[in-house]
Amino acid sequence: MRRDDGAGPTRQGTITSASFNLLSSMVGGGSLSLPLAFLQAGNLFMAPVILVTTNILAQRSIYLLVKAGVYSSTNSNSDGYHLKSRKGNTKYEGMAFEAFGSKARLFSMVLVCTCCFFATIGYAVLLRDMLEPIIDAVVPPPEGAGGGPTLARNGAMVIVVLCITPLTTWKNLTALKNVGMASMAAVLTVGVCVAYRSIECVLSDSDEPTEHFNNLKAFPNSAKELLDSIPLFISSFICHFNVLPIHNELRCPSSDRVRQWVRKSLWSATAFYYFIGFTGSLHAKCTPTGSVSGNVLLDFEEDDLLLLVGRLCLAMTITCAFPMLVVPSRDIILATRFGRYLSLQQSNLGNDRHHESDLENEPAIPIDISVPSDGLTTIDFEPMEIRQPSRGSDTLDEPLLALEDSYRRNLSEELDDNFAESLSMSTRQSHAASDSTLARTVIALLVFWSAVALACMVKSIDVVWDLLGSSFSIMLAFLLPSGCYLRLSRRFSSQHRDGGHGFRRWMLSRMVAWGMILLFGPLM
């Protein structure tokens, strides 16, 4: 008899695959703005300090997000407790619902979808910009076209997007681990190309009068430059819309493993950001204005062969990042009525097709039925030992599975999966949309290609970033996770009144959450 030990989809993610997926969600085209941020803030001292501080704050916000997700999963009456081997079902919008109700759930859904959708548009525009020198060499643009969209440039972008579209329909992010590895290799190549040309520029003997441009400084020239640089540092660490989906896939998500995953990802990103930010800022010596652009690649000659390689690698990085931006929006829409409707249509089609063959091939179900002397029929099961966790512990660990899921799993062992399926029908219906290939495909195509269609009409990536703004990112990454943690952790205050290490850790986490709100609230 078949046994379903996981009672559902199991966790497949390792720390390595989770790290690459988080890095590919975070490191991309935005890193090309860091040379400007370093130059504005002071590349010798102040910029590295801001970079490391932002890294630490981002780590703490991710921990608060995971803790709030665990609390919301613990409180959920529908999902119960999760096994460490079973795939998690914690969602950003579910966390917001548990903390603040249905309006917060709707707001968080709109917030995540908006951030991911506009980021997809921005990356599509940046992809077109990276392919522009190659396309213009093959198909000369019309006179006066400038750097805007043309039929040939949009056509090249659409061809690349068409190639990556199938990956946006994959079920989970763990399956994209190889894509994340390729993306990181490509963006590292971009950094090396930028660093080589920048250092070559600094070491070269130039007759041009550039001595008045001070490209090495410890502090910013003005408070305005400092304030202008901060959003660039913050946006480089935004990956929170994919934290919970990746955490749901991580095997044995204990506190130590979660911290190892987050630290490995963010410190690796910080090292790369410092490398490209500092070396890229040195190129200001070789520009006419003594500064660098928001996209540092624009400051190099288009016919530079080395930077052409860098452009192609960046185009690959952007292309590999598309699934990481589409999947969160797709999964949110899957949970709506539209997603459930598409799933129901596929389910009905499959039931009509296989109903007759299933009836013919249905095996007999062996059930050991004993009839005692009193005439009552009983079915005996072995007793199960269920260990419940401490609900008040402030930890990153996933809780254990509740009695309902354990009962259903043991029942499957006794009566066969065909009989047990009817008992778990209500639970499986809640996951039907995510299991529906039709629903995933249709929604992924709608989200991805509507963003690409808008990108074909956008002239500059600056338009996208101005529409998105930094307020959405700050709210998504810092304010909402902190507020949800404060609200959800308060329900377990009675568990920590006896003091001890757990109480101190719980209070420290709440203090960090309040600090996040007080620090980032005024930046909105």
Side-chain angles (χ1 to χ4, degrees), residues 280-340:
S281 66
L282 298 180
H283 188 70
K285 175 178 180 290
C286 299
T287 61
T289 61
S291 182
V292 293
S293 303
N295 180 356
V296 70
L297 291 182
L298 299 179
D299 294 320
F300 298 92
E301 298 294 334
E302 289 189 358
D303 57 354
D304 189 325
L305 183 59
L306 182 62
L307 267 298
L308 181 60
V309 174
R311 285 174 177 267
L312 292 177
C313 289
L314 181 61
M316 179 179 176
T317 300
I318 295 169
T319 304
C320 294
F322 279 130
M324 303 297 173
L325 298 173
V326 175
V327 169
S329 300
R330 182 203 69 188
D331 289 345
I332 287 177
I333 299 176
L334 277 172
T336 63
R337 291 182 179 180
F338 178 64
R340 292 194 295 268

Side-chain angles (χ1 to χ4, degrees), residues 51-88:
L51 180 67
V52 173
T53 303
T54 308
N55 169 28
I56 296 173
L57 292 174
Q59 287 189 46
R60 298 310 308 179
S61 67
I62 291 176
Y63 294 151
L64 293 175
L65 177 59
V66 173
K67 288 179 180 180
V70 171
Y71 278 137
S72 65
S73 177
T74 303
N75 290 332
S76 176
N77 295 326
S78 58
D79 293 335
Y81 294 97
H82 299 292
L83 283 174
K84 291 185 177 181
S85 61
R86 182 185 178 186
K87 180 180 176 180

